Structures are given as structure tokens and as C-alpha cells.
Amino acid sequence: MPTIRVVLVEPKNEGNVGAVARAMKNFGVADLVLVKPCRLGAEARQRAMRGIAIMEAARIVDDLETALKGADLIVGTSGIDTRSEKRFARISLTPRDFAARVAKMDGRVALVFGREDFGLLDEELRRCDLLTTIPASSDYPILNLSHAVTILLYELLAARAIKHGKREASGMEKEKLHEAFESLLAETDYPAHKRSRTQVMFRRLIGRAVPSKWEFHALMGVIQRATKRIQRLERKD
Amino acid sequence: MPTIRVVLVEPKNEGNVGAVARAMKNFGVADLVLVKPCRLGAEARQRAMRGIAIMEAARIVDDLETALKGADLIVGTSGIDTRSEKRFARISLTPRDFAARVAKMDGRVALVFGREDFGLLDEELRRCDLLTTIPASSDYPILNLSHAVTILLYELLAARAIKHGKREASGMEKEKLHEAFESLLAETDYPAHKRSRTQVMFRRLIGRAVPSKWEFHALMGVIQRATKRIQRLERKD
């Protein structure tokens, strides 16, 4: 089972932050990071109940990158699922599938939740290794923030029964893999306007596959080998 | 799938009632009954968001019996699970087991939630056909009322198991991808004794990631591009 960090991006309602801290206490999760939050006053403290210590220990940061430091897997939450291939950046797993995959991991998982009104921006979603969307009525699929946190933490606790095995690639290793993939695209003169979405496609694919350290090294080897071979042949040109 | 009724017994916090109405709207449940509730004012309406019509249509009654009229199955929720035979009235199912059973039913199911502080009394629990308890940290297992409602409605919706799938790459397409990967290994002079296991690694990785058709084509493009570039450069040698 990994360590879970909850990241709230620009929460606007202090009551929601308190309710999230309570839900974290209910499900045994302690690491809370707030990106540019609203002011936390009496209502936040009241709603936190016995999660008050979690809220008081929350780290407050200015940007998402700082909030994600040290995370090995970054999971975004999106209120809009899509089957449209054009909106591929928002294709997502159910909370159950997400929990089944993540429960087998070690390391640190950051669960990222967006603003109450706008959710996560596209550029924030692109930073995520995988996305999850809570299935809900198409009539009104937008859950309250603390309700969404509660469902994901509940699913993670429910999935804990499953044993975990192999050692996974760390967040740093995965970033190296993504850099290597980017270099390969560059060396093959991959069309510039398609590069960004192909890199996101690869990030999501790897995010869903949860590679082991061994798989990471093998895949990295293949990609670097292809890149170097092209570079060496070009030098001979 | 049965019709679901949510029954709140003596809720004390109007914000919770609003949040429950919102969660009901999120999960497509409309029948709300309140037993001796607190006054519902501005905060309840604000928290209800687009569930406001559900809250306004709620029936307000004086006792649990009236709230249960017409229900075919009565499900109580309890923050305390027990295996003790002496406390048999509180032995309960997980929300998942509960949802799996209930999803197959027809008729009307009443989900009964107790007071924020005391929950349901023993006599109220005895009135229930089955009980469910949300697994949570033994440190602080008492969830916020609207969080508990959210988890049960979420489990019921998830049990409906609607399988709407994004289009997945076919077996034939995946075989083409593996052939392309094999060609790339060959072109990069990948060590012969490692090829077989690296191909299996790639096959497993793709198997776990379950790529969509679009992802398949994008990945295939990158691999073929690298292979062709090496071939072209080699011809110039």
C-alpha cells in the first residue's frame, strides 16, 4: 500500500477543506497539501472535527509543482469523463480500477483535486499519470469536493485487502523515462504539433500499466538505444 | 435495480441535509424523508446546490415507522461494526456486499441514517432488515453524515455495472504493435539473448494498460518512425 497525499488546488470554501481533513482522518490518511487555498477559519475547524490536526499540519504552497514534490504517481480527478479521442487528456479510470492498481504500489501517491467550480485546468490534468472520474448522474455529475475525496479514500481502503508485490518504478525514474521518450520524438522529427499529445498518451499508458523497476529499465533501454542509434548514424551523414 | 429512499433520522445540522440532497442528485436518487429534522434554512439550501428540488420535495415526518411506509427492504447504517454475538443487532455488511445484494432487487429500499452524534438507536437498528457499516480507521470511524450517504449511493450506482467502454485496440492491432516493437529491437541491434524477455515485458505492460485505438495508433507511429529512421540512415552508410 502506498502513502497517500491529498492535494487540493485552490479550494474556495473553507468548510470543504475541514470536511476533507475529517474524511482523511476517517480513512487513515494524514498528508494534506493546499495550493493557494482560501482562508481557513472557524467553519473549517468545526467541519474538520477530529481531523483538525491534519488540517493544521497541512502544507500551504503556491503552485502545483511544489505540491507534487516527492510523489511517485500523480492521480488527477475529473468531473468530466469523455470517450472522445480528441479530448484524450481527460480519459479516465473508475475509482475502483484506480484503487485496484494503486493498492499494489509502494511509494507515494498524490491525489489531486481541482477547484469547486472549475476543477483542474487542462495543463494540470496533463501533469497527471492517471485520471479518475467518479461515475455519477449525467444530469448533475459534479460532486461536492469533500464527497469526491471521501469516495477515493474509501475505495483505497477497500482495495487494501489485495496483496502487493513487485517494486514499482519511482516518480523520478518515470520522469527520466518520459524525458527519454521526448528525446526519441525529437530525434525522429516527430511532427511538432503532435508531440505534446503523444507525450501525454505515453504518460497515461505508463500510468495505467504501473511498471516495475525491471520493466522501467528494460523500456528505458529500448528507447535510449533507438535514440542513440539515430544520433550516431546522423553524425556519420 | 430498486427505487432508493434516503431516510435521515433527526438530523441536527442543516448543512448536512443540504449536502445529502446534493449527493442524491449526483447519484440519481430523488426520494428523501426526514424524521424530526432541524430547521432547514439558508445554509441547507446553499449546500444543496442543484439538489435543491430534492430537499424542497422532502417529506417531513414525526417517526421512523411513517418514514418506512411502503419500503420493501430497510437498510440501517451503523458506524460501529461488531462480531460480538451479544451485539448481534449491529452485525453488518460492507457497503459493497450490501450494494451487490440490493442491485439485483426490485421494489423500494429505504436507507436509514442516524443522528450525527448518536447514530441509530438499538430499537431503530432492530427495525432494519440488514445493516451496513463503512470500513474506516478504528482511530476515528465516524463519518460525516453526507459522506456516509455519498458512499452508499456511490456503491449502489457502481453495482449497476454499466459497462460503457472506450474502444479498445483489437487483438490484431496489438499483434501489429508487438511486431513493430520486435523490428525496433532488431534495428537497434538489441542483444539477442535479451530480446525475448524484453518483448514479453512490453506485451505485459501493454496488456495492463489496455490501450485505446487512438493510443495504439499513436504508439505504433512512434515505434515505426524510429525504426524507419534508422533504416534510412543505415542505407546512406
Side-chain angles (χ1 to χ4, degrees), chain B residues 79-104:
Chain B
I80 307 155
D81 190 11
T82 180
R83 299 288 151 205
S84 157
E85 295 290 331
K86 281 178 193 159
R87 302 277 287 150
F88 69 94
R90 288 185 180 267
I91 292 175
S92 62
L93 299 178
T94 65
R96 189 142 318 162
D97 284 345
F98 143 75
R101 281 155 209 252
V102 164
K104 287 179 220 147

Side-chain angles (χ1 to χ4, degrees), chain A residues 155-194:
Chain A
E155 280 285 5
L156 283 170
L157 192 85
R160 226 179 257 181
I162 307 158
K163 61 215 164 268
H164 61 288
K166 60 187 183 356
R167 288 164 63 226
E168 292 91 26
S170 70
M172 215 174 63
E173 285 169 330
K174 274 186 287 183
E175 286 316 306
K176 279 191 196 149
L177 180 62
H178 295 310
E179 282 166 26
F181 188 76
E182 189 175 357
S183 301
L184 179 63
L185 293 186
E187 285 302 331
T188 60
D189 286 335
Y190 199 80
H193 68 285
K194 285 172 150 188

Side-chain angles (χ1 to χ4, degrees), chain B residues 6 15 25-26 32 49 52 54 59 63 75 109 113 130 132 142 154 175 187 205:
Chain B
V6 172
K25 183 74 179 174
N26 288 147
L32 177 61
M49 301 284 288
I52 183 79
I54 291 170
R59 277 180 300 132
D63 56 77
V75 180
V109 174
F113 297 85
L130 60 87
T132 177
I142 308 302
Y154 161 77
E175 284 318 304
E187 286 302 331
L205 204 77

Side-chain angles (χ1 to χ4, degrees), chain B residues 21-104:
Chain B
R22 177 178 181 173
M24 291 173 67
K25 183 74 179 174
N26 288 147
F27 293 109
V29 171
D31 186 8
L32 177 61
V33 181
L34 307 171
V35 181
K36 289 191 202 141
C38 58
R39 208 183 69 85
L40 302 178
E43 200 198 333
R45 280 195 299 277
Q46 191 227 311
R47 299 268 303 274
M49 301 284 288
R50 286 179 51 192
I52 183 79
I54 291 170
M55 194 175 78
E56 286 174 346
R59 277 180 300 132
I60 294 181
V61 300
D62 279 333
D63 56 77
L64 184 59
E65 269 323 300
T66 312
L68 298 178
K69 209 165 276 175
D72 299 301
L73 185 80
I74 300 162
V75 180
T77 53
S78 165
I80 307 155
D81 190 11
T82 180
R83 299 288 151 205
S84 157
E85 295 290 331
K86 281 178 193 159
R87 302 277 287 150
F88 69 94
R90 288 185 180 267
I91 292 175
S92 62
L93 299 178
T94 65
R96 189 142 318 162
D97 284 345
F98 143 75
R101 281 155 209 252
V102 164
K104 287 179 220 147

